[in-house]
């Protein structure tokens, strides 16, 4: 991937993100934040390659810690978002 | 199809799932599905990455994945809704920290293999800086939110911040110019860690929603720059999407406080600027204190009641007591609404999550623009643990530090009951003329106990 293509992806994705998120109601601010935060744990796939490629002891160790941290971020982030959203939904059902 | 092709197609599908997922998270009806789509995208991305031929030892990966999953799941299931801001801050920090480590590892590997060019060096340097700031910034935010860290820096800290920022930027240039010298990268990571600490340590409670939203954006940007290091389009796309959504939330929070992001990060806190002042000219002997019984009597004859929650409600864990009060008021035919300021609490949407936990239907929760026109028809407004967001000085006094900040116009209702421990100022460090207003009554005490007392008195009226 050339730098120019990478930059193009970056700029387009930022604009797409801005379009997607505008006008989110206040009740969803926290779930949106924790859900998108879990998505930012995508760095996990980079960590997997670093930890698994067995280049040197140092890079493997850095990768191992990175995989652990990123997995906490991903698993915890999606689960807690789901917990909050279930809370919102459960309450609606109980309404007469 | 070759293995790299399978990986690329998998990443493309994952990117689409992230886009649809974030879109879904923006609407109440589609939010659970959106979250599920995001999680599926992540699972797919992890699975196809396992096909990467560079990965030769799977044992360490399995161990790290299992540890991470267990810790993450435990944190997510155990956390109390009142502690949600801390948890979000912590997860942010972990994401940022992981990005730094990946960038360092890839950079070192590239240098040793003689593949490190300037592009890779700049991307690694940017990730090291942004990720390190996100990591320590989030950890400090976590401890500040837990209130286990009281230190809030020293005077002149903003100047130190600017100096460390300049040093960091110089180090970014050095890494790019001399990618072969590892020491520059380590120095940059160290500078980033320090910058994260000194940028968040002085930030006061009410600025927290801005900071949490900004750190959220940073963790996305760090993932995106990691994508430049690894030449990985999925990281670039997913990271940028998160960066953009964090930026929008930051903007919403800043607007609601009438402060620019620059002011939040680089200026002294308004409380520190105001210093210790004498508030007797504002309050004098005009503050009227009341009792739970008197409030119950007011509620007894009211038709419409508005409750304005603030951070004090979260601290006192009063959400369930408030729900009980609402239920008994509604049982006697009164209309009960909640007026929620965008920056009430310590993170965007904090009050909504708390009140949802207490099973208060979201048709009862009105945001600022919806609730403000209705205060003039409201008999009793109960303010629980909020201060600056109901301070009429923002509207009336052009010289006030919070002049121009959008507020909830609670003073327009017939009677305002303010439940508060004392007359101490809020985050802005200024007196609140509302407390001395003719139609305002102060109910001093703990938020939860006060609400329970009112509900009990209501039964005996």
């Amino acid at each position: 991937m050339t730098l120019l293509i990478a930059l193009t992806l970056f700029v387009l994705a930022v604009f797409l993100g801005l379009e997607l998120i505008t006008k989110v109601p206040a009740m969803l601010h926290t779930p949106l934040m924790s859900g998108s935060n879990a998505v930012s744990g995508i760095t996990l796939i980079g960590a997997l390659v670093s930890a698994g490629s067995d280049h040197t002891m140092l890079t493997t160790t850095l990768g191992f810690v990175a995989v652990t941290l990123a997995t906490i971020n991903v698993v915890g982030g999606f689960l807690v978002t789901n917990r909050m959203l279930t809370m919102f939904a459960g309450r609606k059902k109980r309404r007469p | 199809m070759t293995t790299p092709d399978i990986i690329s197609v998998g990443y493309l599908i994952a990117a689409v799932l992230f886009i649809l997922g974030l879109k879904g998270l923006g609407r109440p009806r589609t939010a659970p599905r959106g979250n599920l789509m995001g999680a599926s995208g992540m699972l797919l991305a992890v699975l196809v990455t396992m096909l990467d031929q560079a990965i030769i030892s799977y044992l360490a990966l399995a161990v790290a994945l299992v540890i991470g999953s267990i810790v993450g799941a435990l944190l997510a299931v155990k956390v109390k809704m009142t502690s949600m801001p801390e948890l979000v801050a912590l997860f942010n920090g972990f994401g940022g920290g992981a990005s730094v480590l990946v960038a360092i590892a890839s950079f070192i590997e590239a240098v040793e293999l003689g593949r490190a060019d300037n592009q890779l060096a700049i991307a690694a340097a940017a990730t090291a800086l942004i990720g390190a700031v996100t990591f320590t910034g989030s950890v400090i935010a976590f401890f500040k939110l837990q209130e286990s860290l009281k230190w809030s820096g020293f005077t002149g800290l903003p100047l130190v911040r600017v100096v460390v920022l300049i040093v960091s930027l110089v180090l970014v240039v050095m890494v790019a110019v001399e990618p072969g010298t590892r020491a520059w990268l380590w120095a940059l990571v160290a500078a980033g860690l320090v910058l994260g600490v000194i940028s968040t340590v002085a930030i006061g409670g009410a600025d927290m929603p801005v900071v949490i939203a900004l750190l959220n954006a940073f963790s996305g940007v760090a993932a995106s720059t990691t994508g430049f290091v690894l030449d990985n389009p999925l990281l670039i796309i997913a990271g940028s999407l998160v960066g953009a959504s964090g930026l929008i939330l930051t903007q919403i929070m800043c607007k609601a406080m009438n402060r620019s992001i620059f002011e939040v990060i680089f200026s002294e806190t308004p409380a520190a600027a105001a210093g210790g002042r004498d508030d007797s000219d504002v309050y004098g002997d005009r503050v009227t204190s009341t009792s739970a019984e008197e409030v119950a009597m007011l509620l007894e004859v009211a038709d419409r009641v508005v409750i304005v929650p603030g951070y004090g409600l979260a601290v006192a864990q009063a959400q369930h007591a408030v729900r009980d009060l609402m239920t008994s008021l509604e049982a006697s035919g009164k209309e009960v609404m909640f007026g929620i300021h965008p920056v009430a609490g310590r993170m965007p949407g904090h009050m909504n999550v708390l009140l949802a936990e207490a099973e208060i239907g979201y048709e009862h929760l009105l945001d600022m623009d919806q609730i403000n026109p209705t205060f003039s028809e409201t008999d009793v407004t109960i303010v629980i643990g909020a201060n600056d967001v109901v301070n009429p000085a923002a509207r009336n006094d052009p010289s006030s530090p919070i002049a121009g900040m959008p507020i909830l116009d609670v003073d327009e209702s017939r009677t305002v009951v303010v439940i508060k421990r004392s007359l101490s100022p809020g985050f802005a460090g200024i007196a609140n003329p509302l407390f001395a207003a003719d139609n305002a009554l102060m109910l001093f005490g703990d938020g939860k106990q006060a609400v329970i007392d009112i509900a009990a008195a209501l039964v005996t009226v």
Side-chain angles (χ1 to χ4, degrees):
Chain A
M1 197 165 48
T2 67
L3 178 61
L4 210 59
I5 292 177
L7 277 176
T8 309
L9 276 182
F10 176 77
V11 173
L12 291 182
V14 167
F15 275 97
L16 178 60
L18 295 175
E19 286 297 318
L20 283 179
I21 309 298
T22 34
K23 302 210 168 169
V24 172
M27 70 168 285
L28 285 176
H29 281 168
T30 304
L32 172 69
M33 207 167 52
S34 67
S36 67
N37 178 234
V39 170
S40 77
I42 187 65
T43 199
L44 171 61
I45 63 173
L48 287 171
V49 177
S50 291
S53 60
D54 253 353
H55 181 69
T56 60
M57 193 60 201
L58 177 62
T59 57
T60 307
T61 312
L62 291 174
F64 182 85
V65 179
V67 172
T68 311
L69 289 180
T71 310
I72 295 175
N73 184 195
V74 167
V75 174
F78 283 123
L79 278 181
V80 86
T81 308
N82 187 56
R83 204 181 131 198
M84 270 187 275
L85 293 172
T86 316
M87 214 168 65
F88 287 146
R91 197 187 44 189
K92 259 186 284 174
K93 271 181 219 130
R94 244 166 260 134
R95 231 189 301 161
Chain B
M1 231 172 20
T2 61
T3 309
D5 285 344
I6 296 174
I7 295 177
S8 296
V9 172
Y11 283 174
L12 177 61
I13 298 171
V16 172
L17 285 170
F18 287 154
I19 292 168
L20 294 175
L22 282 181
K23 186 173 183 220
L25 276 173
R27 289 202 192 83
R29 204 170 43 80
T30 55
R33 199 178 356 147
N35 187 51
L36 201 63
M37 280 179 155
S40 319
M42 189 62 74
L43 184 65
L44 176 68
V46 169
L47 289 178
V48 296
T49 303
M50 292 296 188
L51 299 174
D52 194 313
Q53 273 138 7
I55 299 181
I56 46 177
S57 77
Y58 286 88
L59 182 67
L61 293 190
V63 174
L65 283 170
V66 169
I67 296 175
S69 301
I70 293 173
V71 175
L74 280 178
L75 285 173
V77 174
K78 297 266 175 200
V79 68
K80 282 201 211 125
M81 285 301 141
T82 40
S83 308
M84 197 54 85
E86 285 99 304
L87 189 70
V88 171
L90 201 63
F91 284 161
N92 252 328
F94 287 176
S99 288
V100 179
L101 297 175
V102 173
I104 296 174
S106 314
F107 183 68
I108 290 176
E109 197 179 321
V111 169
E112 284 174 359
L113 297 175
R115 288 194 284 111
D117 53 12
N118 296 83
Q119 180 194 328
L120 187 130
I122 292 172
T127 311
L129 179 59
I130 299 167
V133 169
T134 311
F135 178 66
T136 47
S138 301
V139 170
I140 293 291
F142 170 81
F143 286 117
K144 292 221 90 164
L145 286 164
Q146 274 207 324
E147 311 216 329
S148 50
L149 179 73
K150 302 281 181 209
W151 188 66
S152 52
F154 44 87
T155 21
L157 196 61
L159 184 70
V160 180
R161 228 171 275 158
V162 174
V163 171
V164 178
L165 180 65
I166 293 171
V167 169
S168 308
L169 294 178
V170 170
L171 286 168
V172 170
V173 174
M174 291 317 294
V175 174
V177 173
E178 289 182 28
T181 317
R182 274 195 216 171
W184 292 123
L185 189 68
W186 292 121
L188 176 59
V189 172
L193 294 173
V194 172
L195 189 60
V197 172
I198 60 178
S199 298
T200 42
V201 78
I203 284 171
D207 274 337
M208 266 306 166
V210 180
V211 174
I212 301 278
L214 189 66
L215 288 169
N216 185 30
F218 270 30
S219 75
V221 175
S224 188
T225 52
T226 310
F228 281 85
V229 177
L230 302 173
D231 237 5
N232 185 319
L234 182 57
L235 258 76
I236 297 179
I237 295 170
S240 315
L241 290 173
V242 178
S245 90
L247 209 63
I248 288 186
L249 279 177
T250 310
Q251 212 180 9
I252 295 173
M253 294 302 118
C254 279
K255 223 167 158 185
M257 297 192 69
N258 197 33
R259 273 155 75 72
S260 73
I261 186 65
F262 188 81
E263 278 176 293
V264 174
I265 302 295
F266 289 102
S267 67
E268 302 274 1
T269 58
R277 336 180 318 171
D278 186 12
D279 295 327
S280 56
D281 55 329
V282 178
Y283 297 138
D285 51 5
R286 294 185 298 277
V287 175
T288 319
S289 146
T290 186
S291 65
E293 289 72 25
E294 196 184 342
V295 176
M297 277 184 257
L298 282 168
L299 291 173
E300 186 63 28
V301 295
D303 290 322
R304 182 186 157 91
V305 177
V306 170
I307 299 174
V308 172
Y311 181 58
L313 177 112
V315 173
Q317 303 264 6
Q319 67 270 33
H320 296 283
V322 167
R323 194 258 331 271
D324 294 340
L325 178 64
M326 179 189 92
T327 314
S328 65
L329 286 173
E330 282 196 323
S332 44
K334 302 173 199 314
E335 186 189 5
V336 183
M337 285 292 167
F338 288 81
I340 299 180
H341 194 275
V343 294
R346 289 296 180 262
M347 71 177 166
H350 193 185
M351 291 299 124
N352 299 76
V353 173
L354 273 190
L355 296 176
E357 189 202 13
E359 298 182 5
I360 294 170
Y362 81 94
E363 65 278 8
H364 288 280
L365 313 184
L366 300 183
D367 54 28
M368 188 162 55
D369 300 334
Q370 295 169 305
I371 197 85
N372 266 348
T374 70
F375 278 118
S376 51
E377 299 145 26
T378 301
D379 301 301
V380 181
T381 296
I382 306 177
V383 178
I384 307 174
N387 190 345
D388 296 329
V389 298
V390 295
N391 190 339
R395 214 176 45 215
N396 309 332
D397 178 6
S399 66
S400 168
I402 59 167
M405 172 173 148
I407 59 155
L408 295 167
D409 301 322
V410 294
D411 53 329
E412 287 177 5
S413 48
R414 193 161 304 148
T415 310
V416 186
V417 177
V418 181
I419 301 176
K420 210 173 169 310
R421 286 183 175 279
S422 66
L423 284 176
S424 64
F427 168 69
I430 51 170
N432 192 338
L434 172 73
F435 303 161
D438 293 337
N439 60 341
L441 300 169
M442 302 296 297
L443 181 54
F444 292 109
D446 170 72
K448 185 178 177 181
Q449 197 52 49
V451 173
I452 291 173
D453 290 346
I454 294 172
L458 204 55
V459 177
T460 54
V461 168

